[in-house]
């Protein structure tokens, strides 16, 4: 398939945005920039188009998609009901990196929800994403625009690497500022449950949802055969081809560990504070307490590991605070749940 590249650094790229909208309306697949990561979009009402997303990504078909909207109007077409707590969170966190799971309407095909009776909904904040949803005139089902299993794309170049020739168009916009996927909360159970940490933090959520439960899949590996509330969290994910080992320690203990084990690793993914003490090749995720910068840089760094040919990487685990929790959640999956606590 020939893939069109549509350049839309901002909403002044009217023709490109209109073209993306037209393709989506016709049931084509278009990768679009959002503030979290790039998404691979199709009309959420078009069963066939949605099935093609799974094929293009090589995504297991029991892993549901998120439906993206640009305003609240289509909510009543997408959801059977919006529980009060969900509605309060939508008002607080939309537009933004927050996804609510609620009971699904009949209009949403089961290919979107992977057979579940619930649907995930998000209103992105990114101006180009919003303009494309408006131009398409339908809600867009969109998972991250990477090949299944590889790190999510935060630049148009990442999408081109993974999906060139597999989708109809790629909208080339700016780099994703949040850098990790949205926070996912299900309201289909009481109390509400966090399934995936993201740009909206647990601390922010708890101000509104004091009884929020953190699903155990957020920080640990689901047991084999266990039924999981968040299908996406059970897969090995976000992983470079290199082996990644995550080490949870303060900066001093981390650098001592890296130097002592320098035979076993060929690269260190750490924080600015670690750099001066480390002898191995080093890449930085930003400052130890700057969780937003870590989130913004993480997926690009994971891709660079393979591009630079590293095989055995040791990564410094962030603190599980603020957006650091989302970084920890992605890194532990990139590491196949291999963590050394010092
Ligand atoms: P992605 O867009 O690639 O970040 O994937 C969407 C994420 O949302 C995956 O982790 C899914 O498992 C999760 N998700 C989407 N819909 C549902 C749903 N109805 N129930 C539970 N998790 C969902
Ligand atoms: Mg994904």
């Amino acid at each position: 398939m020939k893939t069109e590249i549509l350049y839309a650094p901002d909403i002044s790229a009217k023709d490109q945005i209109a073209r993306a909208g037209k393709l989506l309306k016709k049931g084509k697949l278009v990768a679009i920039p959002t503030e979290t990561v790039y998404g691979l979009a199709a009309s959420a009402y078009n069963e066939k188009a949605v099935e093609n997303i799974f094929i293009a990504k090589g995504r297991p078909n029991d892993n549901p998609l998120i439906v993206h909207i640009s305003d609240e109007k289509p909510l009543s077409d997408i959801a059977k009901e919006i529980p009060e707590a969900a509605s309060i969170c939508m008002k607080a966190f939309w537009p933004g990196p927050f996804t609510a799971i609620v009971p699904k309407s009949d209009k949403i095909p089961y290919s979107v929800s992977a057979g579940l009776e619930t649907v995930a909904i998000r209103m992105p904040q990114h101006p180009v994403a919003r303009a494309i949803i408006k131009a398409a005139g339908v809600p867009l089902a969109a998972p991250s625009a990477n090949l299944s299993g590889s790190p999510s794309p935060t630049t148009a170049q990442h999408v081109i690497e993974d999906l060139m020739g597999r989708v109809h168009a790629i909208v080339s916009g700016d780099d994703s500022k949040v850098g990790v996927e949205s926070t996912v909360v299900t309201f289909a159970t009481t109390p509400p449950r966090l399934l995936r940490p993201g740009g909206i933090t647990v601390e922010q959520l708890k101000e509104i949802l004091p009884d929020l439960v953190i699903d155990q899949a957020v920080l640990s590996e689901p047991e084999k055969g266990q039924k999981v509330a968040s299908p996406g969290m059970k897969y090995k994910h976000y992983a470079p081809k290199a082996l990644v080992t995550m080490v949870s320690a303060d900066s001093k203990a981390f650098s001592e560990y890296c130097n002592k084990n320098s035979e076993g690793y060929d690269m260190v993914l750490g924080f600015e504070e670690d750099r001066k003490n480390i002898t191995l090749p080093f890449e930085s995720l930003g400052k130890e307490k700057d969780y937003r910068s870590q989130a913004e840089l993480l997926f690009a760094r994971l891709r660079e590991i393979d591009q630079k040919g590293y095989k055995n990487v040791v990564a410094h685990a962030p603190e599980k605070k603020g957006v650091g929790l989302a970084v920890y959640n992605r890194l532990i999956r990139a590491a196949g749940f291999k963590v050394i606590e010092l």
Side-chain angles (χ1 to χ4, degrees):
M1 175 187 308
K2 191 174 170 327
T3 302
E4 279 179 51
I5 306 285
L6 303 167
Y7 292 94
D10 56 50
I11 52 167
S12 66
K14 291 210 167 52
D15 293 349
Q16 282 77 0
I17 289 168
R19 174 78 185 145
K22 193 170 163 200
L23 288 168
L24 287 160
K25 212 179 279 178
K26 286 202 298 195
K28 310 285 186 194
L29 302 190
V30 181
I32 64 170
T34 89
E35 73 275 21
T36 55
V37 300
Y38 271 70
L40 179 58
S43 163
Y45 296 150
N46 183 330
E47 177 143 40
K48 189 85 207 100
V50 172
E51 283 167 6
N52 286 336
I53 290 181
F54 288 83
I55 296 168
K57 277 183 59 97
R59 185 176 175 99
N61 52 16
D62 65 349
N63 190 8
L65 311 181
I66 296 171
V67 175
H68 292 71
I69 56 178
S70 58
D71 59 55
E72 273 140 18
K73 264 180 265 145
L75 270 182
S76 53
D77 282 338
I78 300 168
K80 195 178 208 169
E81 52 166 314
I82 307 278
E84 172 77 13
S87 176
I88 295 170
C89 285
M90 289 168 179
K91 284 199 181 75
F93 302 125
W94 278 359
F98 171 75
T99 295
I101 295 177
V102 296
K104 179 183 97 59
S105 77
D106 295 338
K107 204 168 168 184
I108 293 295
Y110 281 112
S111 52
V112 171
S113 70
L116 299 172
E117 294 301 336
T118 51
V119 61
I121 315 174
R122 176 164 107 84
M123 188 190 290
Q125 185 270 323
H126 195 286
V128 173
R130 298 166 66 79
I132 292 172
I133 301 168
K134 272 202 193 85
V138 282
L140 300 179
S144 49
N146 53 304
L147 285 175
S148 196
S150 74
S152 296
T154 52
T155 70
Q157 185 54 39
H158 296 161
V159 183
I160 290 169
E161 282 160 18
D162 277 18
L163 297 181
M164 200 67 181
R166 303 176 75 92
V167 300
H168 298 97
I170 295 171
V171 178
S172 173
D174 59 355
D175 297 353
S176 302
K177 295 282 176 318
V178 177
V180 291
E181 304 86 341
S182 58
T183 301
V184 178
V185 175
T186 182
F187 297 90
T189 51
T190 319
R193 177 176 286 265
L194 176 80
L195 300 184
R196 179 175 74 184
I200 298 295
T201 65
V202 168
E203 292 85 344
Q204 284 174 289
L205 285 166
K206 284 216 161 161
E207 278 180 27
I208 296 180
L209 303 172
D211 56 348
L212 179 78
V213 173
I214 315 288
D215 196 275
Q216 68 114 29
V218 167
L219 289 175
S220 56
E221 184 172 20
E223 305 277 330
K224 279 218 165 53
Q226 184 190 341
K227 192 172 179 304
V228 288
S230 174
M233 291 283 108
K234 77 181 174 195
Y235 296 107
K236 181 164 184 200
H237 237 97
Y238 316 115
K241 293 189 184 71
L243 266 178
V244 179
T245 303
M246 187 161 122
V247 174
S248 198
D250 62 29
S251 189
K252 188 165 170 283
F254 178 73
S255 17
E256 278 169 12
Y257 172 86
C258 294
N259 293 339
K260 223 187 273 162
N261 294 279
S262 59
E263 301 276 293
Y265 299 109
D266 54 9
M267 187 239 174
V268 178
L269 187 59
F271 305 124
E272 281 306 321
E273 291 83 345
D274 308 329
R275 187 195 287 273
K276 62 181 183 307
N277 301 316
I278 284 176
T279 49
L280 283 162
F282 182 87
E283 292 287 345
S284 170
L285 282 173
K287 293 222 171 79
E288 190 167 3
K289 302 275 176 200
D290 187 355
Y291 311 122
R292 299 236 165 234
S293 142
Q294 293 162 25
E296 190 179 346
L297 295 173
L298 178 69
F299 287 134
R301 291 287 181 269
L302 290 180
R303 280 180 182 255
E304 283 161 19
I305 287 174
D306 286 340
Q307 278 155 1
K308 294 185 175 166
Y310 295 117
K311 300 281 179 254
N312 220 327
V313 174
V314 53
H316 197 169
E319 293 181 299
K320 296 173 217 143
K321 285 187 202 153
V323 181
L325 181 68
V327 179
Y328 188 101
N329 169 277
R330 306 308 190 273
L331 205 46
I332 200 174
R333 281 170 173 76
F337 296 96
K338 212 163 8 105
V339 193
I340 296 171
E341 304 267 355
L342 295 179

